[in-house]
Amino acid sequence: MRRDWIVRELTTEIVVGVVMVMVLFGLGYFTIILSRETWFGEKHELEVVFSHTMGLRDGDSVVVRGMEVGRVRGLRLRPDGVHAHLLLQYPLHIREDYSAAVVASSVLGGRYLEIYEGSPERPLLPPDTVLRGEKPYDLVADAAELVGAIKKGIIEEGVLDSLKEAVDLFHDTARRVGEGKGTLGRILSEDEEVYEEMTAMVRSLRVLTERLEKGEGVVGQLLAEKSPVYGDLAAAAASLRRTAEQIEKSEGVVGRLIRDDGLYRELEQAIRELRAWIDDSRETSPVVSFTSILFGAF
Amino acid sequence: MITREPEYFPPSLNMLGRIGRRALFGCRAAGRAGVLLARAVACLRYAFSARSRHEIVMQMYVSGVRSLGVITVVAVFTGMILSLQTGLQLRRFHQEVNIGAAVMVSMLREMGPFMTALILAACVGSAMAARLATMTVSEEIEALELMSIDPVRFLVMPRLAAMAVMTPVLTFYASIMGVLGGGLVGVTQLDVAWSAYFYNATRYAAVKDLYVGLLKALLFGIIITIVSCHAGFGATQGAQGVGYATRRAVITAFLLILVAGYIVTRLLYE
Amino acid sequence: MRALIEFDNVTKVLAGQAVLDGVSFRVRRGEVFVIVGPSGAGKSVTLKHMVRLMTPDAGRVLVDGEDITELPEAGLRRVRERFGYLFQSGALLAWLNVAENVALPLREKTREDEAEIERRVAEALRLVDLEEHGGKLPAEISGGMRKRAGLARAIIRNPEIVLYDEPTSGLDPVSSRTIDRLIARAGRDLGVTSVVVTHDLHSALSIGTMVAMLYGGTIVEMASPREFMQSENEEVQAFLRSQFITAEGVWERNAR
């Protein structure tokens, strides 16, 4: 009887001990994974200075030629910009025409640092050089700039009228292409694809805005007011709007090129809703994210 | 002393008196629970004596290991539901891959600690309150005091130590189980590869999320133990008193867990 | 001779009612002092005052000449060491078996080695006829056995005074007499002073050297068993009649 009791007690202690040890191992393992620490393997350091980091964060990936090679480890604000300290698993041979830029990894935010080592024929830089990061690359702003430049060039150089005619003609063709009329339509199927793609893109943007507006799903949580995603979206919306205005003003250049009023209006609408939702989310985001956690869970 | 003489207050005549009395009693209960916590913490210095160590391990077994089953089931299904819900939303934008991040972050930060704490409050806390309440009404606590055995050291301290260790442990376990459950749904329902799911899951969660979750769990464990023990010691009037004490312990623990969870999130994620 | 326990005009108000209303008595060393009375007369409350599980609202309780009503915790612990207390239900810890329950005071409060503890536990269990049941949990044994186990625990540290709260209530007559014999044996063999609270006059009159009756918060009669039965007091008479006791009947049993 006493033996049984001792055995039972020992079993209990062993079971508790096994659970504890397993969990401690798991904890240690997770700590290593989540800290994204490169504890094993090679370590190479690199420093990049940015005038603007576009919300790059500690722990973000560093990518060379599409391959992840390390992590950002620490950002410090200095008089000459933000110094990003990088920890890499591979040595990089940086050449004179290198580039280092912050790139958005997805619509929902997240950044990574893309480094181009430079073309092989250029001379190597000394290994401890502090790299200069590029101004953040903003696709939408770029597009707006391009449109502005085209518009300016066209108006100033007086080719507008002749271009208008050409565009009218082109548009007529495009419409017929759109309707699938004539043999040309089939020949120009490439163009049709482009057209389709654009329509689809605008549609999905629209759907996205609607969903966001309702605060559905985790997206609501991810887009809490203070997260960098919020800022990104706001910025994106602003530049989209800018582009749209420029398109509008330059009637007939890009506008006529597309000339599908429905498509254009949808774009407008989508931008407006996105904007409104972002403003709304300023107030409602905590409530939305809390309820969506609850309903998401039960 | 833990045992207290029965109290009697004549019924109050007016509303104001009743409200005032309730408020005062509430404050007194909070104060007593605080003193109980302080005494239990002070008793932790005995935690490594052979007898206490044995008792603590027993309590860890009773409150921790025996809860593994129910926690596994609840955690896996919570993870599956989370994954399915967010996955269906994200699928519209072809972003199903991101369910990993959503499940991982919400399990580590909120769902893991909350779920575990609520389960433990309902299962372990109520059992604790019922056990101590039964002991109180059958004069066993008085017997301990007469034998000069401190009920706090003998009963509360081992439970506090066991829960303070086991709640974070179970929380971590629950989070992992939730993430696995989410992955299961991701692979079978949403066509996300395991590797993509886990890469995504570990990419967005931070060490801070993990440890803030565990800190919350520790706090919840202490709350459950102290609330349950306090309610148990306060039991009066036989079997009915045991039921009442148990019910009060569970309700109070639930409320305090919610409030404390909010406060910790607020303090550490500002 | 100085009284071992002395109640000096003790008053206790519970739920707005004076349960004890100026109670005074003395328990001398070596006595078996029995307090009888109907349910709710304040018998258990009186007992609890002796070890300050309750504190009087007025009056004093003295143990060996020392006023315990205002003792600090350390002093109280010292006084309580002198007492053994048998609770109504035995108050055994449900998750320990009988032997472990009996050993608890030794294990927790003394530095005896395990062999010595086991020897003393076996001895105490033999005294209450429970040697066979040491390995059982309290839930597995009968109410009478639980009380006996409680008694073994109460006397394991050889206290000077043992307090019995309703030792025979809820037991069949045979078990009750067994408990009575045990109380008498404890007084005789171990030389302890006993205070017994009961509403069972049979046991009160057979084991007591002094019987006091509590009624309405005061002591209405206090006398030796023989004198108690011949008391002129109305309440005592009614109480005796309610349990079918006549002076002759009990007298015969005492003589036997």
Side-chain angles (χ1 to χ4, degrees):
Chain A
M1 180 201 79
R2 179 134 188 110
R3 271 191 77 81
D4 284 1
W5 186 74
I6 289 172
V7 168
R8 207 173 58 219
E9 189 172 325
L10 262 179
T11 323
T12 312
E13 288 177 351
I14 289 170
V15 167
V16 173
V18 167
V19 171
M20 296 293 294
V21 167
M22 277 168 56
V23 167
L24 279 179
F25 266 112
L27 255 179
Y29 179 68
F30 259 70
T31 309
I32 294 172
I33 289 188
L34 293 186
S35 63
R36 298 172 193 108
E37 206 70 71
T38 43
W39 285 9
F40 310 104
E42 296 177 66
K43 266 181 227 174
H44 303 276
E45 300 186 357
L46 201 61
E47 198 159 327
V48 187
V49 191
F50 288 97
S51 58
H52 191 290
T53 60
M54 234 175 92
L56 189 73
R57 283 193 302 181
D58 201 6
D60 281 339
S61 310
V62 178
V63 172
V64 174
R65 298 165 194 260
M67 178 186 163
E68 193 180 309
V69 296
R71 303 271 179 194
V72 177
R73 273 271 156 261
L75 291 162
R76 276 181 304 266
L77 189 61
R78 293 276 167 75
D80 61 334
V82 181
H83 284 245
H85 186 243
L86 314 182
L87 214 57
L88 310 175
Q89 291 149 28
Y90 304 94
L92 289 187
H93 305 289
I94 304 292
R95 290 163 197 276
E96 261 178 6
D97 62 338
Y98 72 87
S99 74
V102 179
V103 182
S105 57
S106 80
V107 192
L108 295 174
R111 296 274 178 274
Y112 63 88
L113 179 55
E114 171 122 51
I115 294 177
Y116 172 59
E117 302 145 282
S119 40
E121 64 270 15
R122 291 300 194 83
L124 275 170
L125 292 173
D128 55 346
T129 319
V130 174
L131 306 189
R132 197 135 264 293
E134 286 178 13
K135 247 186 84 187
Y137 178 68
D138 189 337
L139 182 80
V140 187
D142 263 18
E145 219 167 276
L146 181 71
V147 170
I150 293 172
K151 178 182 156 196
K152 199 174 156 207
I154 290 170
I155 292 172
E156 277 172 10
E157 273 152 52
V159 285
L160 188 62
D161 286 337
S162 55
L163 196 69
K164 255 185 186 168
E165 276 171 42
V167 164
D168 275 347
L169 188 68
F170 178 78
H171 162 249
D172 201 38
T173 321
R175 184 168 51 80
R176 276 198 284 164
V177 168
E179 286 160 7
K181 277 179 188 163
T183 40
L184 194 63
R186 265 161 224 120
I187 296 163
L188 287 178
S189 62
E190 233 180 330
D191 285 351
E192 192 170 9
E193 255 169 46
V194 173
Y195 177 84
E196 289 291 324
E197 256 171 21
M198 265 184 115
T199 321
M201 189 193 82
V202 171
R203 289 255 159 71
S204 62
L205 187 61
R206 177 91 195 255
V207 171
L208 171 74
T209 337
E210 276 171 12
R211 303 246 128 248
L212 287 179
E213 199 167 62
K214 289 179 200 153
E216 282 180 21
V218 257
V219 183
Q221 302 161 37
L222 291 177
L223 290 180
E225 191 191 340
K226 293 220 164 134
S227 79
V229 185
Y230 173 80
D232 291 350
L233 267 177
S239 27
L240 269 175
R241 168 150 280 267
R242 214 158 51 230
T243 318
E245 276 166 11
Q246 275 165 342
I247 291 171
E248 198 169 32
K249 276 184 213 141
S250 69
E251 29 165 23
V253 183
V254 180
R256 287 276 154 79
L257 206 68
I258 300 166
R259 226 247 175 153
D260 189 334
D261 275 359
L263 183 64
Y264 174 72
R265 239 179 273 122
E266 266 198 295
L267 182 65
E268 261 269 316
Q269 180 72 11
I271 291 164
R272 208 177 298 127
E273 279 170 8
L274 189 63
R275 184 83 235 172
W277 177 79
I278 286 163
D279 289 341
D280 281 351
S281 74
R282 210 189 294 267
E283 279 94 33
T284 58
S285 67
V287 180
V288 169
S289 35
F290 189 66
T291 46
S292 58
I293 285 177
L294 275 186
F295 288 111
F298 296 107
Chain B
M1 273 196 290
I2 284 297
T3 50
R4 293 194 168 85
E5 296 182 21
E7 291 170 323
Y8 173 76
F9 298 94
S12 178
L13 295 175
N14 56 40
M15 188 82 153
L16 202 66
R18 281 200 291 275
I19 293 171
R21 186 180 287 174
R22 278 200 83 96
L24 281 178
F25 278 15
C27 291
R28 191 180 66 174
R32 284 180 176 177
V35 170
L36 185 63
L37 174 62
R39 287 180 57 184
V41 169
C43 283
L44 280 176
R45 66 176 185 274
Y46 300 116
F48 292 99
S49 74
R51 295 188 62 76
S52 301
R53 208 165 52 212
H54 169 234
E55 182 64 19
I56 290 171
V57 172
M58 287 308 286
Q59 288 299 329
M60 283 165 91
Y61 179 75
V62 169
S63 62
V65 179
R66 291 247 209 101
S67 312
L68 277 178
V70 60
I71 286 181
T72 308
V73 173
V74 176
V76 167
F77 276 94
T78 307
M80 285 167 70
I81 294 166
L82 263 178
S83 176
L84 196 61
Q85 281 282 1
T86 53
L88 290 179
Q89 301 298 328
L90 290 173
R91 172 173 266 185
R92 293 167 201 264
F93 328 117
H94 303 290
Q95 294 286 325
E96 297 103 308
V97 182
N98 287 320
I99 53 171
V103 173
M104 186 78 158
V105 171
S106 48
M107 284 308 288
L108 284 184
R109 279 195 193 173
E110 294 295 342
M111 294 312 300
F114 255 114
M115 201 187 63
T116 314
L118 294 190
I119 292 173
L120 287 182
C123 301
V124 178
S126 64
M128 221 182 260
R131 157 62 49 90
L132 294 194
T134 310
M135 290 186 72
T136 306
V137 299
S138 62
E139 300 175 309
E140 287 169 44
I141 305 291
E142 290 182 348
L144 285 177
E145 293 212 317
L146 286 186
M147 289 186 269
S148 293
I149 299 173
D150 181 6
V152 176
R153 206 209 68 200
F154 191 71
L155 299 168
V156 182
M157 183 273 284
R159 286 170 167 78
L160 182 72
M163 284 292 274
V165 175
M166 282 323 262
T167 317
V169 163
L170 290 175
T171 297
F172 177 70
Y173 173 78
S175 303
I176 300 310
M177 284 296 130
V179 172
L180 290 180
L184 204 67
V185 167
V187 170
T188 56
Q189 310 286 307
L190 301 161
D191 295 327
V192 179
W194 271 112
S195 55
Y197 177 82
F198 280 112
Y199 176 73
N200 193 279
T202 51
R203 211 181 129 84
Y204 287 96
V207 188
K208 185 184 173 190
D209 295 331
L210 175 62
Y211 283 93
V212 170
L214 294 188
L215 177 73
K216 270 188 195 172
L218 172 70
L219 201 64
F220 293 162
I222 293 171
I223 288 174
I224 293 169
T225 316
I226 294 303
V227 165
S228 303
C229 290
H230 176 252
F233 284 142
T236 48
Q237 294 162 359
Q240 199 190 346
V242 174
Y244 177 71
T246 310
R247 180 172 149 266
R248 207 180 44 182
V250 173
I251 292 176
T252 315
F254 269 40
L255 289 178
L256 286 182
I257 285 167
L258 286 168
V259 173
Y262 173 78
I263 291 172
V264 172
T265 309
R266 172 94 201 193
L267 285 180
L268 295 176
Y269 281 104
E270 268 296 280
Chain C
M1 187 180 152
R2 192 163 65 173
L4 194 53
I5 302 170
E6 181 174 353
F7 269 48
D8 181 12
N9 217 6
V10 170
T11 297
K12 181 70 180 175
V13 181
L14 288 173
Q17 230 185 340
V19 179
L20 298 183
D21 191 4
V23 170
S24 299
F25 61 84
R26 288 152 167 257
V27 178
R28 284 189 299 272
R29 200 177 289 275
E31 247 180 357
V32 178
F33 190 92
V34 186
I35 302 170
V36 295
S39 296
K43 305 188 300 285
S44 295
V45 172
T46 309
L47 212 54
K48 287 187 173 176
H49 274 86
M50 293 179 186
V51 284
R52 221 178 83 186
L53 284 173
M54 285 187 176
T55 312
D57 292 333
R60 296 185 307 160
V61 177
L62 294 98
V63 174
D64 213 0
E66 187 178 14
D67 186 356
I68 64 163
T69 47
E70 274 166 15
L71 269 184
E73 191 125 345
L76 190 61
R77 211 172 295 139
R78 180 171 45 74
V79 169
R80 283 174 171 179
E81 302 267 294
R82 306 173 70 172
F83 283 87
Y85 200 118
L86 173 61
F87 285 91
Q88 236 176 80
S89 56
L92 303 175
L93 303 180
W95 65 94
L96 298 179
N97 67 28
V98 171
E100 288 167 337
N101 261 296
V102 175
L104 192 66
L106 295 179
R107 290 228 171 95
E108 292 291 329
K109 298 317 285 187
T110 65
R111 290 179 193 282
E112 309 271 9
D113 61 55
E114 196 58 28
E116 171 68 9
I117 288 176
E118 274 179 35
R119 195 188 59 76
R120 284 178 64 179
V121 168
E123 189 188 304
L125 285 177
R126 195 161 48 245
L127 195 69
V128 296
D129 299 324
L130 282 176
E131 316 84 315
E132 318 258 295
H133 305 284
K136 289 184 180 165
L137 289 175
E140 296 165 348
I141 57 176
S142 72
M145 288 156 94
R146 250 175 271 165
K147 284 199 179 183
R148 269 143 61 192
L151 177 57
R153 187 179 66 183
I155 60 176
I156 187 109
R157 292 190 66 192
N158 300 325
E160 279 176 69
I161 312 154
V162 181
L163 310 180
Y164 303 87
D165 190 357
E166 304 274 10
T168 58
S169 74
L171 297 186
D172 62 278
V174 177
S175 305
S176 298
R177 297 295 86 80
T178 312
I179 297 268
D180 285 348
R181 270 202 307 279
L182 287 172
I183 295 171
R185 201 198 289 179
R188 199 176 55 236
D189 297 354
L190 307 173
V192 301
T193 307
S194 307
V195 180
V196 184
V197 150
T198 184
H199 56 242
D200 179 355
L201 268 175
H202 286 283
S203 72
L205 295 172
S206 56
I207 61 173
T209 57
M210 185 64 87
V211 181
M213 175 153 168
L214 259 180
Y215 188 84
T218 51
I219 299 222
V220 293
E221 182 65 84
M222 182 159 59
S224 69
R226 196 191 304 187
E227 288 162 12
F228 187 83
M229 274 183 294
Q230 284 148 0
S231 168
E232 302 287 307
N233 187 293
E234 259 177 58
E235 308 300 343
V236 176
Q237 288 297 330
F239 198 59
L240 285 169
R241 272 200 305 279
S242 72
Q243 301 200 9
F244 306 106
I245 293 175
T246 61
E248 293 74 32
V250 179
W251 172 239
E252 271 172 26
R253 212 173 66 180
N254 270 4
R256 195 166 53 220

